[in-house]
Amino acid sequence: MAKVFRYRLRPTKAQVTKLNEQLELCRWVYNETLAMRKNAFEQEGRSVSYFESKRMLPIWKESKPELRSVYSQVLQDVVLRVNLAFKAFFRRVQSGEKPGYPRFKGKNRYDSISYPQSGFSIDGDKLWLSKIGDIKFKLHRPIEGFVKRLTIHRSATNKWYVSFLVEESIDHVIEPSDKVVGIDVGITNFAVLSNGEFIENPRFLLADEGMLKKAQSKRDKLPKGSQERNKANKSVNHLYERIANRREDFAQQLSHMLVTSYGIICFEDLNIKNMTQNHNLAKSILDASWNKLVQYTSYKAVEAGRKVVLVNPLNTSQMCSCCGQTVKKDLSVRVHSCPYCGLSMDRDLNAAKNILRLGLQSVAKA
């Protein structure tokens, strides 16, 4: 199983300068590759392959010698990223989605480089990178398994991180559990468990929205390109980063609790993209980040020997969990009252029980 281990880098000022220079050179290669493929299609009506693009790297190094200061496989990975962007573009065209043609990267818009196979080594809390040297990183947990790929990322607040893609990571199988649970995610409550437990929605964006709007308003009043605006923009980025970190921590801790406690965990297979078409609820849905919880619970379950089941969300809120009859109700109705069997309970708890039932049925058929 593939797994990613992420750590905070501690580069020196000289190393930060070198990393930023490499990002700019990679951005140049990305834009040059994109321009070549775009021009070939518009002027000659042909597509340029990944291998044809890659053959341009030695030629570009002759005209732009500073490219030699970047490890060769890092530059090849940049060309691969352009190729993947075009593949995704053509896939969206074929499926009838809004295609979104690959874009050129503006200054400071290219923020990561990858070492796909080699050019790096790890010695305790030091990371050696070809063309850069030794960089310290905060080894807050051991790296388990064989590192196949390494990515250096610069955040919007100019913090540096390293991510290791590891294959064949050690499984952390825990004591078997015969406990099962169905989980209904929502906005009023972040999640309701079929055992009657309610998990409050932390609403991280709403909590900081006032400060965020104030910081954005202050930034937007300042002249573009000025030092004052750049400083104000850093304050906005810090707020966004804090919100993202809190969401991440919340999802990680909740998913850990679920995997530790239950042998079978059932979620609805929600289409978040379609749900956010409702502009009245889009902000709250995205703030809740339900997909993070499902994603983290799923990979932790595989590692721990648990099972995550995704069920069809159709009518889970409308069906009575006691008698199975359909009881139509608007989203504003928060209590499920069944006129057929007399069951009365919280709407989301009723849905969680239905999700559990459907999940167990799915497991039994498998």
Side-chain angles (χ1 to χ4, degrees), residues 214-334:
K214 186 176 180 180
Q216 288 172 326
S217 177
K218 181 181 177 181
R219 176 199 61 187
D220 295 343
K221 291 174 183 177
L222 296 169
K224 289 186 177 180
S226 66
Q227 289 186 352
E228 292 82 2
R229 186 182 176 97
N230 291 336
K231 186 176 179 181
N233 195 50
K234 285 182 181 179
S235 298
V236 174
N237 289 337
H238 274 291
L239 285 169
Y240 274 121
E241 185 178 66
R242 184 169 73 173
I243 293 167
N245 288 342
R246 287 176 173 176
R247 283 194 192 121
E248 178 83 7
D249 184 63
F250 178 78
Q252 291 283 9
Q253 291 197 38
L254 180 54
S255 60
H256 176 75
M257 183 276 288
L258 292 172
V259 169
T260 303
S261 304
Y262 301 98
I264 298 177
I265 306 159
C266 307
F267 292 102
E268 289 178 303
D269 189 10
L270 297 173
N271 188 328
I272 305 296
K273 186 176 179 180
N274 285 348
M275 294 176 70
T276 53
Q277 299 302 312
N278 183 336
H279 298 297
N280 293 325
L281 298 176
K283 184 190 291 187
S284 297
I285 290 171
L286 293 173
D287 189 25
S289 294
W290 302 323
N291 55 337
K292 279 186 181 290
L293 176 64
V294 177
Q295 177 189 348
Y296 296 164
T297 305
S298 297
Y299 86 73
K300 288 176 183 176
V302 171
E303 197 177 46
R306 306 301 207 204
K307 182 181 285 293
V308 169
V309 183
L310 301 180
V311 306
N312 189 334
L314 183 65
N315 288 332
T316 53
S317 294
Q318 308 296 335
M319 187 179 297
C320 179
S321 60
C322 180
C323 66
Q325 293 290 337
T326 299
V327 182
K328 292 289 183 181
K329 45 189 170 292
D330 294 332
L331 190 60
S332 59
V333 178
R334 304 312 305 166

Side-chain angles (χ1 to χ4, degrees), residues 19-180:
L19 286 167
N20 282 323
E21 288 172 352
Q22 294 215 355
L23 286 176
E24 278 301 295
L25 290 168
C26 289
R27 182 177 73 91
W28 185 91
V29 171
Y30 186 97
N31 288 340
E32 202 71 14
T33 307
L34 178 54
M36 181 184 69
R37 295 185 64 149
K38 185 174 182 288
N39 292 337
F41 184 78
E42 292 177 349
Q43 297 172 14
E44 305 172 38
R46 69 182 185 89
S47 296
V48 177
S49 70
Y50 163 66
F51 296 101
E52 185 179 347
S53 302
K54 194 167 70 169
R55 285 196 291 270
M56 292 300 298
L57 289 172
I59 299 172
W60 289 336
K61 286 180 182 179
E62 291 297 324
S63 61
K64 197 176 177 67
E66 53 265 44
L67 289 174
R68 299 182 189 278
S69 66
V70 183
Y71 186 58
S72 59
Q73 288 194 6
V74 171
L75 295 178
Q76 291 170 20
D77 181 77
V78 175
V79 177
L80 178 61
R81 292 185 189 190
V82 178
N83 190 61
L84 293 174
F86 272 99
K87 281 187 175 181
F89 167 72
F90 290 125
R91 177 186 55 77
R92 290 191 295 268
V93 170
Q94 291 174 357
S95 63
E97 300 176 49
K98 187 176 180 181
Y101 193 83
R103 295 182 179 184
F104 292 99
K105 301 289 186 180
K107 189 174 181 179
N108 296 323
R109 292 289 184 178
Y110 198 93
D111 54 18
S112 69
I113 55 175
S114 294
Y115 289 73
Q117 293 175 329
S118 62
F120 63 89
S121 63
I122 306 162
D123 184 11
D125 62 349
K126 285 185 180 180
L127 171 67
W128 176 82
L129 298 174
S130 178
K131 307 288 186 177
I132 296 174
D134 288 322
I135 306 178
K136 288 186 177 181
F137 68 102
K138 189 175 181 179
L139 188 65
H140 61 271
R141 59 171 174 163
I143 303 169
E144 300 168 345
F146 181 69
V147 178
K148 298 287 289 184
R149 183 183 179 87
L150 177 154
T151 298
I152 304 295
H153 172 72
R154 180 186 63 198
S155 74
T157 55
N158 292 320
K159 294 174 184 173
W160 294 87
Y161 297 90
V162 57
S163 297
F164 301 101
L165 177 65
V166 173
E167 287 191 358
E168 299 177 352
S169 179
I170 301 169
D171 288 343
H172 297 279
V173 178
I174 56 181
E175 287 294 320
S177 172
D178 56 2
K179 294 172 67 178
V180 297

